[in-house]
Amino acid sequence: MEQTLAIIKPDGVSAGYIGEIIKRIENEGFKIIAMKMEHLDDRKAEGFYYVHKQKPFFSSLLEYMTSGSIVIMVLQGQNMVEKWRKLMGTTNPDDADKGTIRGDMGTDIERNVVHGSDSKDNAVYEINYFFKGNEIF
Ligand code: UDP
Ligand code: MG
């Protein structure tokens, strides 16, 4: 069993995709073991995306991620990191397969609806960034 961090980003929440995304997660048989809503401030968004600090898209990414509320979840299952990234689709929705969340609901390479940890180690960091032990079930 493995855990990963999943986020429904501000564009997904404001477009009304929360229910559809959770339905797809549950249809795959993935278990949601933690869930909350937050509206990130600059500092919290910066700390989350610190690996991208030097990237040209960083300031725009912060603006986007702080533009509205988000839904944050911990998913659990076998090969969970890889399976959630597969269900999300590629970073750029233009390249993502139909049937993936980004392929079906994404707008562009920035506004791509969802986040998923990219490794087991990063999943541990990201889960601890948002959840205390007693918030995970
Ligand atoms: N992003 C962007 N421009 C880019 C690449 C990424 O705005 O050229 C945004 C996008 O929202 C992406 C996030 O930054 O989801 C993190 O980028 P990463 O490369 O880690 O993609 P992900 O792991 O989310 O697929
Ligand atoms: Mg990433």
Side-chain angles (χ1 to χ4, degrees), residues 52 85 115-116 118:
H52 294 308
R85 290 208 55 109
H115 167 84
D118 64 1

Side-chain angles (χ1 to χ4, degrees), residues 9 49 51-52 55 57 60-61 64-65 85 88-92 102 108-112 114-118:
K9 295 177 173 180
Y49 274 127
V51 289
H52 294 308
K55 303 270 173 70
F57 58 82
S60 181
L61 175 62
Y64 160 51
M65 288 302 293
R85 290 208 55 109
M88 288 200 304
T90 54
T91 305
N92 190 344
R102 285 167 164 176
D108 55 42
I109 194 164
E110 177 177 84
R111 302 174 67 83
N112 58 8
V114 280
H115 167 84
S117 311
D118 64 1

Side-chain angles (χ1 to χ4, degrees), residues 1-14:
M1 283 298 193
E2 200 172 286
Q3 298 175 354
T4 196
L5 189 86
I7 297 178
I8 305 175
K9 295 177 173 180
D11 55 328
V13 172
S14 64

